[in-house]
Amino acid sequence: MRIRKAVIPAAGLGTRFLPATKSVPKEMLPILDKPTIQYIVEEAVESGIEEILIITGRNKRSIEDHFDKSYELETELDKKGKAHDLEILQNISSMCNFYYIRQKEQRGLGDAVRYARVFSENEPFALLLGDNIIYNQGLPATRQLIETYQEYNGSVLGIGEVSPEMVNRYGIIKGEKIGDTLFEVEDLVEKPDIGKAPTNYAMLGRYVLSPKIFKILEETKPGYGGEIQLTDALKVLAKEDRVLAKLYEGKTYDIGEKLGFTMAQVEFALRDPQIKDAFKTYLKGMDI
Ligand code: UTP
């Protein structure tokens, strides 16, 4: 089945990154000159997605504005003959069809995903977390998951290997390895204590899910941290239906906290053709 819809939850409060996120959504914090969420939308579009639902909340208006047409700015750029900048701007709003819905209370990722039920129209959909960027020179991570879904006909969780001291920050999978980069998922544990994780494979912000998840989410009670956890619903899904985990190629950055955000900033700068040489020279000359 063709997968043409994606959901990006971007309604979270971003408490790990205060005060930056007090009035600016973390999804709008830029990595170089592009807001985080634009990288994510581009990944979805490059993966073949045509319709994107962004789950927003109060204080998140700037996300909608960013993907809207900007008449004043476009007219100004046109008048000044800045054709290249104009094209960049126009591409943002024409990349795909955008839809928005507001999560009323920030009750967790599982609760946010529930809002996509009507949008999904009972089709499988890609889910991309609004604060995780994946750098990739080959196939985008979401495309890799879509292809796995199509080949194995089961929901797919994007995973990566994390160090044993970091397992308590992620949802960790338990399952049987059925290929070089593929697992059949039996169970999941949200943020296990260090030393108690079944594997070191963590879910890293990308999924392709069967619409069966919605019914399960309706019945999912608040779990870890008092929030409705997507992981709890995925555990049930793995019992009722086929769920795979795919070790995708690409480097993931969690920009929802200081360290991940800074790492993304530095590494993207070191890859940027315009500034990488000057930035390297600057880093080498630093005496901090
Ligand atoms: P996080 O787990 O990072 O939670 O969300 P958060 O609330 O945004 O941030 P902290 O932990 O307080 O710093 C992962 C993704 O899910 C979205 C977030 O916007 C982010 O893109 N999310 C989270 C929602 O849409 N709604 C929620 O209720 C929680």
Side-chain angles (χ1 to χ4, degrees):
M1 178 170 201
R2 217 171 127 234
I3 291 163
R4 41 182 210 96
K5 295 188 178 192
V7 176
I8 304 180
L13 296 175
T15 55
R16 287 172 298 150
F17 212 162
L18 282 168
T21 49
K22 187 175 172 220
S23 65
V24 178
K26 64 175 163 180
E27 297 80 8
M28 285 301 291
L29 295 175
I31 302 298
L32 302 189
D33 51 3
K34 241 195 264 181
T36 294
I37 194 161
Q38 189 179 330
Y39 289 94
I40 298 166
V41 164
E42 285 171 358
E43 177 190 326
V45 172
E46 283 160 19
S47 299
I49 296 294
E50 292 160 7
E51 318 268 324
I52 295 184
L53 174 70
I54 302 182
I55 301 173
T56 69
R58 282 177 294 283
N59 284 337
K60 303 272 184 168
R61 272 284 303 277
S62 54
I63 296 179
E64 290 181 45
D65 291 342
H66 184 72
F67 292 107
D68 198 1
K69 215 172 150 52
S70 176
Y71 283 103
E72 292 85 352
L73 208 51
E74 287 179 26
T75 313
E76 256 335 280
L77 291 174
D78 194 23
K79 264 202 265 172
K80 291 190 170 140
K82 296 194 163 177
H84 179 64
D85 293 335
L86 180 62
E87 195 189 330
I88 290 177
L89 225 60
Q90 285 171 335
N91 282 345
I92 297 175
S93 54
S94 62
M95 261 188 289
C96 68
N97 293 322
F98 292 99
Y99 304 83
Y100 300 92
I101 189 164
R102 283 192 178 198
Q103 185 186 17
K104 292 190 186 68
E105 284 175 80
Q106 276 58 42
R107 296 173 62 216
L109 175 60
D111 178 63
V113 174
R114 278 180 44 225
Y115 284 73
R117 186 173 200 155
V118 173
F119 169 77
S120 93
E121 292 183 298
N122 221 25
E123 288 178 24
F125 60 97
L127 177 67
L128 298 87
L129 298 198
D131 57 358
N132 276 212
I133 294 182
I134 301 173
Y135 173 77
N136 202 315
Q137 280 186 304
L139 271 191
T142 295
R143 184 73 228 161
Q144 298 173 43
L145 304 198
I146 289 176
E147 291 185 356
T148 307
Y149 186 102
Q150 287 164 337
E151 191 176 341
Y152 292 86
N153 202 20
S155 296
V156 188
L157 319 175
I159 54 165
E161 193 164 6
V162 296
S163 65
E165 315 80 61
M166 300 282 268
V167 287
N168 59 352
R169 301 169 58 159
Y170 299 95
I172 301 290
I173 67 146
K174 177 178 180 220
E176 189 195 337
K177 200 163 189 212
I178 58 165
D180 276 355
T181 58
L182 202 61
F183 294 78
E184 194 89 51
V185 176
E186 288 155 17
D187 204 2
L188 298 159
V189 200
E190 182 65 21
K191 304 189 173 70
D193 290 337
I194 294 169
K196 299 222 171 115
T199 64
N200 291 342
Y201 294 111
M203 289 187 281
L204 293 181
R206 296 293 185 272
Y207 314 76
V208 174
L209 298 177
S210 146
K212 288 180 187 153
I213 195 71
F214 293 115
K215 186 163 179 304
I216 300 171
L217 279 170
E218 291 305 328
E219 288 154 14
T220 304
K221 301 268 179 307
Y224 188 93
E227 295 192 339
I228 298 184
Q229 296 289 349
L230 178 65
T231 306
D232 290 340
L234 292 171
K235 267 165 87 96
V236 178
L237 186 68
K239 301 270 178 280
E240 296 180 356
D241 206 36
R242 189 161 203 199
V243 177
L244 301 133
K246 167 86 179 162
L247 205 49
Y248 60 74
E249 273 172 40
K251 180 152 188 195
T252 312
Y253 303 88
D254 176 2
I255 64 88
E257 41 97 27
K258 269 198 282 191
L259 183 61
F261 179 80
T262 310
M263 280 165 18
Q265 210 67 263
V266 170
E267 294 190 15
F268 276 70
L270 290 172
R271 291 183 194 119
D272 185 275
Q274 266 176 5
I275 63 166
K276 67 178 183 190
D277 293 337
F279 189 53
K280 261 186 212 161
T281 309
Y282 166 76
L283 287 179
K284 280 184 192 144
M286 259 181 359
D287 61 354
I288 295 172

